[in-house]
Amino acid sequence: METIELDYEGIEQLPLKNFTEKAYLDYSMYVILDRALPHIGDGLKPVQRRIVYAMSELGLLASAKHKKSARTVGDVLGKFHPHGDTACYEAMVHMAQPFTYRYPLVDGQGNWGSPDDPKSFAAMRYTEARLAPYAEVLLSELGQGTVEWTANFDGTLEEPVLLPARLPNVLLNGATGIAVGMATDIPPHNLKEVAAAAVLLLDKPRSTLDDLCRIIQGPDFPTGAEIITSRDELIESYKTGHGSVRMRACYEVENGEIVVTALPYQVSGGKVLEQIAAQMTAKKLPMVEDLRDESDHENPTRLVIVPRSNRVDTGALMSHLFSSTDLERSARMNLNMIGLDGRPKIKDLRVILKEWLEFRTTTVRRRLEHRLDKVNRRLHLLEGLLIAYLNLDEVIRIIRTEDKPRPALMKRFKLTEMQADYILDTRLRQLARLEEMKIKGEQEELAAERDALMKTLASRQRLKTLIKKEIQADAEKYGDERRSLLVERAAAQALDETALIPSEPVTIVLSRNGWVRVAKGHEIDPLEMNYKSGDEFAAAARGRSNQQAVFIDSTGKTYALPAHSLPSARGQGEPLSGRLKPADGARFVGVLAGEPDQLYLMASDHGYGFIARLGDMHTRNKSGKSTLSVPKGAGVLPPVPIRSLQDDWIVAASSEGYMLVIPLAELPQMSRGKGIKIINIPSAKLKSREEAVAAMDCIQDGEKLTVYAGKKHKTMKPDEVDEFAGERGRRGKKLPRGYQKVDRIRVEIK
């Protein structure tokens, strides 16, 4: 024992370390044992137990009239002092909400909150309450010697340590609570299933957890949402006592609209709609047109999601919403509770049921013993009453004449003190009215009851049978069908980001100085756009908003950016150098867009080129990807989209007026490199930059070609173009005089 130190004034001294440690430990144990954790016996926390008991003492049973909640809470606080009035009322509300409690203990009138907002309940002065019929499971045996009593907070009253629960309520309604250093999360279960499992364990005590899990297949929440956790995971959670349960909303498709009819446990419909609306606002859900909340008193959950068209894949859309919103949610499972030994522990399912059956057996035994004592006492009194009846005149004489009739009666008729007191407490008029037949009839009934009770108490099997019948009767009375369906489903997959971007036609415009912008539609003429002073049009590409825009710089590197992320063409755009990191001195010369399989002609102005796939140019690297190898001193030509490998011809024109037409099919398809020679330009002229390839394009049979030279241009007919056909790598033919200083060429597509 710790020695108490006293100072010179006789005041107790205690080291601060010892004081704080003790204070903390005392508080921790109070929270664990008297506040946060449920007891295995009745499945209630102390505050809940006190509310139920106080309401039963007030006569607020299921058959009574509702009473103002404030009066009930006041009574609970006055008698048993659990927490504050707000916390106490909140616990009461919790037990009354059918969407929170699987089998509510309180029946409320007024606003007790809604599934959408459980905390929106009215103040206690506005609501009324009484106990629900199910509360009888906890209270029906209260006055039958089944309960241990303890003094309340001020010692003026007695309160039950535990309520004599007829069913394993700890599993039926579950519990959540945070203690010091531990927590509990017990999910609710179906009454019929739990009762059947308890009966199985009674009949076959050696039943394994797997046997029990065949009956209790999983939790049963007060919602119609599906439990999608695999059976193996659930069994593992029941074995270890902790795990998680995954729930998913249920939906139907009505007239092309998706109607959500059930949400996971404790999920707000309003919040779900908020989450979906946020995605729509951020333009990350283009396939959804509209949202509606059609919930009412008949349909507590009815959320309508309207797809943009009937071509939208409903399954993929819902899978995305399951993974990105609260339409799919996990609930923790942590089977932590106070056991019969008074200690908190995480227990597996079998241990919980076994321990509860032990509690129930003790309760029933105490009830039967209490009743047996009462029957024996009554038989004893009836025995004395019969003696009094048979000697009535003598009894009356003794009572009237004797100064001390009690010892006289005991001596004369060999009665016990209890019998003598009972005769003396009975009025003479009533004694005179006694009938032998009635007394003997009652004796026979009670003797039969006593024999039956003694038989039951003496036989383990009879006691088991009685408990079993009572569990089955309650299961029949209060049980219902499972609400949460168990359906194993694959994990939800969020849609690819590109699938979530609206697929709209766009034109990506690049300026000479490397500024980029995106205009909606393909009808835009980039040449007519406004450009900053000293800047002009360089290149444009037509694609869709959900595609990647690929840029190529003067070093042959390609860069990729999502088209939808580029600035709007309402302004003058933004410089690409702000988003990308090109090499020093490099400038952007071309832009590409389309499907990843789209083919492009990549070439340098030295006359070398190859066919490249657009998907091979995609990169996340801000520094770009080396695609076209450019010889020293050479420049990059804007990439040309290829329409057909078989039908396209390459038209290459040099700055000196040479032009060559060759079949596109002669070029190799590569992901990167220099390519092969398309048109021959003398190396001396290349070195001195006297001559280079001025333009390159793809043409098909029957199409016209326009050659631009300064302010002049010439449109060549198909047969004129054919004259320039030759072998790959040759010099080509000279264009007519006056059109030899080629700036650019343009194919008039049929």
Side-chain angles (χ1 to χ4, degrees), residues 196-205 207 212 350 353-354 357:
V199 167
L200 176 72
L201 207 55
L202 265 177
D203 288 338
K204 298 174 182 175
S207 298
L212 296 173
R350 189 176 181 279
L353 284 171
K354 201 172 176 197
L357 284 169

Side-chain angles (χ1 to χ4, degrees), residues 455-469:
K455 270 186 184 175
T456 306
L457 284 164
S459 167
R460 233 166 147 187
Q461 194 55 48
R462 282 176 187 268
L463 196 64
K464 271 188 184 179
T465 307
L466 176 64
I467 295 166
K468 178 179 158 183
K469 281 181 178 173

Side-chain angles (χ1 to χ4, degrees), residues 732-746:
K733 275 177 75 178
K734 269 246 179 190
L735 285 160
R737 198 179 291 277
Y739 301 101
Q740 290 177 354
K741 297 289 179 188
V742 178
D743 292 327
R744 60 190 178 96
I745 58 175
R746 187 168 67 86

